[in-house]
């Protein structure tokens, strides 16, 4: 269930109440007239089944409430109410399958913002992965994959394509390109520093690396795994199952490929640099493609489900 807290101008309160009451899956409606001060107006709260949430939010936006008042949405972790159970049963579909498009857009917007924290995470992840590829240590590679924040901008690009939000696309692309550029440049310097301390060596990079050699040897499975992980990651975002994102992060060779490219570049190894770059681009393309197709399929399925529910 979702909890909505609305601030409505007095002249729009009746329209808001009618919309809530006619939306299947709503309950616990409360109206506090004149309770709001900034902005001034009435406070309306209600609970709505997650699968009916997007339809209600769209209707509230069409009433202009996001401009003249306020719309706040919270997840309800526990609701002991027969009315809530009835509302969820009446709402079409399953809550786990529902997509809150505004929430997804807002979440990806935040995750794809180029910030100091984002740059720090992707740079540290790439440096950890650099240690992993030189030492041929799979544990470090997995750790670097989990730390890397690059799925946010990739999800932002997919969301922007489906929702036709060019600003989100530019923001996400900027975070992705600048993030990897800064991380790889810093990792080149890190590699040179480690070499000066005799902790990295060209011999280690050129040695047989059974645990990490795959990061500069892309093949068909690289793209297939990226597509599967991209679909899984997108589903985890839209269904609020964030735990699955950890599995997605350690499934795709983005940060390790960038790290291997940076280390190889520091030693002038063009073969590994190009192979790792190809691996990186292949994975990025696979994730964006899968994410876009997954979101498009979800949108088409829900629109068809709603139409059949109304006609039925």
């Amino acid at each position: 269930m979702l909890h909505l807290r609305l601030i409505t101008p007095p002249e729009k309160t009746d329209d808001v109440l009618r919309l809530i009451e006619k939306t299947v899956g709503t309950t616990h409606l409360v109206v506090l007239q004149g309770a709001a001060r900034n902005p001034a107006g009435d406070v309306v709260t209600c609970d709505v089944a997650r699968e009916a949430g997007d339809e209600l939010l769209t209707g509230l936006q069409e009433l202009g409430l996001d401009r003249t008042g306020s719309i706040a949405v919270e997840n309800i972790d526990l609701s002991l109410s027969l009315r809530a159970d009835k509302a969820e049963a009446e709402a079409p579909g399953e809550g786990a399958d529902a997509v809150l498009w505004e929430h997804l857009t807002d979440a990806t917007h935040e995750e794809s913002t180029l910030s100091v924290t984002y740059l720090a995470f992707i740079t540290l992840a790439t440096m950890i992965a650099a240690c992993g590829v030189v030492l041929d240590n799979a544990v470090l590679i997995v750790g670097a994959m989990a730390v890397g924040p690059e799925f946010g901008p990739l999800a932002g690009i997919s969301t922007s394509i489906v929702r036709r939000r060019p600003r989100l696309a530019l923001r996400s692309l900027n975070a992705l390109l600048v993030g990897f550029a800064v991380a790889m440049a810093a990792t080149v310097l890190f590699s040179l520093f480690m070499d000066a301390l005799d902790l990295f060596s060209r011999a280690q990079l050129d040695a047989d690396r059974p645990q990490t050699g795959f990061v500069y040897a892309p093949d068909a499975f690289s793209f297939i795994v990226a597509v599967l992980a991209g679909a899984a990651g997108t589903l985890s975002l839209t269904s609020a199952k964030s735990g699955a994102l950890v599995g997605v992060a350690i499934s795709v060779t983005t940060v390790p490929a960038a790290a291997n490219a940076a280390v190889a570049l520091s030693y002038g190894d063009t073969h590994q640099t190009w192979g790792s770059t190809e691996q990186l681009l292949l994975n990025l393309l696979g994730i964006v493609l899968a994410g876009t197709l997954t979101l498009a399929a979800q949108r088409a399925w829900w629109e068809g489900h709603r139409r059949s529910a109304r006609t039925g």
Side-chain angles (χ1 to χ4, degrees):
M1 294 287 288
L2 302 172
H3 178 70
L4 272 62
R5 187 186 73 250
L6 314 173
I7 297 178
T8 75
E11 66 274 11
K12 288 191 175 183
T13 300
D14 288 341
D15 293 333
V16 170
L17 294 178
R18 278 193 292 269
L19 174 63
I20 293 174
E21 289 171 343
K22 78 174 185 179
T23 301
V24 177
T26 59
T27 187
H28 303 155
L29 178 60
V30 177
V31 181
L32 303 173
Q33 293 185 338
R37 292 292 180 267
N38 183 24
D42 302 327
V43 175
V44 178
T45 68
C46 70
D47 295 340
V48 58
R50 182 180 174 86
E51 52 268 41
D54 189 64
E55 182 179 1
L56 180 55
L57 291 175
T58 300
L60 292 171
Q61 288 178 296
E62 290 174 351
L63 290 175
L65 204 61
D66 54 329
R67 299 184 299 274
T68 60
S70 171
I71 304 173
V73 183
E74 298 174 333
N75 280 304
I76 300 177
D77 295 327
L78 177 64
S79 179
L80 302 177
S81 167
L82 289 176
R83 289 183 178 272
D85 294 341
K86 182 181 179 182
E88 288 188 312
E90 291 175 345
E94 295 292 334
D97 298 330
V99 180
L100 297 176
W101 292 102
E102 286 301 327
H103 178 270
L104 177 63
T105 302
D106 184 68
T108 52
H109 182 278
E110 181 178 351
E111 292 294 326
S112 61
T113 299
L114 184 62
S115 62
V116 174
T117 302
Y118 172 84
L119 288 175
F121 269 118
I122 196 169
T123 300
L124 291 172
T126 308
M127 288 181 176
I128 293 171
C131 295
V133 296
V134 171
L135 297 175
D136 193 34
N137 189 315
V139 174
L140 292 177
I141 292 294
V142 171
M145 289 175 171
V147 172
E150 72 280 4
F151 189 80
L154 293 171
I157 294 174
S158 296
T159 303
S160 68
I161 294 173
V162 175
R163 300 215 68 197
R164 299 178 183 178
R165 301 288 179 91
R167 289 186 179 181
L168 178 58
L170 291 175
R171 176 185 292 268
S172 301
L173 191 60
N174 181 57
L176 197 65
L177 295 178
V178 174
F180 271 113
V182 170
M184 292 175 71
T187 303
V188 168
L189 297 177
F190 175 71
S191 177
L192 293 173
F193 173 73
M194 295 292 280
D195 181 77
L197 296 177
D198 290 329
L199 296 175
F200 281 9
S201 69
R202 177 65 182 266
Q204 288 174 298
L205 185 70
D206 292 338
D208 184 28
R209 291 186 279 145
Q211 300 293 323
T212 61
F214 65 92
V215 298
Y216 63 90
D219 55 21
F221 280 104
S222 301
F223 185 74
I224 291 171
V225 171
V227 168
L228 295 176
T234 302
L235 286 174
S236 72
L237 285 177
T238 57
S239 64
K241 295 186 182 296
S242 58
L245 278 177
V246 177
V248 172
I250 62 177
S251 299
V252 189
T253 321
T254 48
V255 165
N260 198 82
V263 174
L265 184 63
S266 70
Y267 286 112
D269 187 336
T270 56
H271 172 69
Q272 286 200 39
T273 299
W274 172 245
S276 301
T277 303
E278 187 179 354
Q279 177 80 273
L280 173 62
L281 295 176
L282 201 61
N283 279 272
L284 295 178
L285 176 63
I287 294 174
V288 171
L289 178 62
T292 303
L293 293 177
T294 300
L295 289 176
Q298 286 180 290
R299 169 170 258 182
W301 187 87
W302 267 102
E303 289 177 352
H305 189 72
R306 285 175 180 171
R307 283 194 297 268
S308 62
R310 293 191 188 111
T311 56

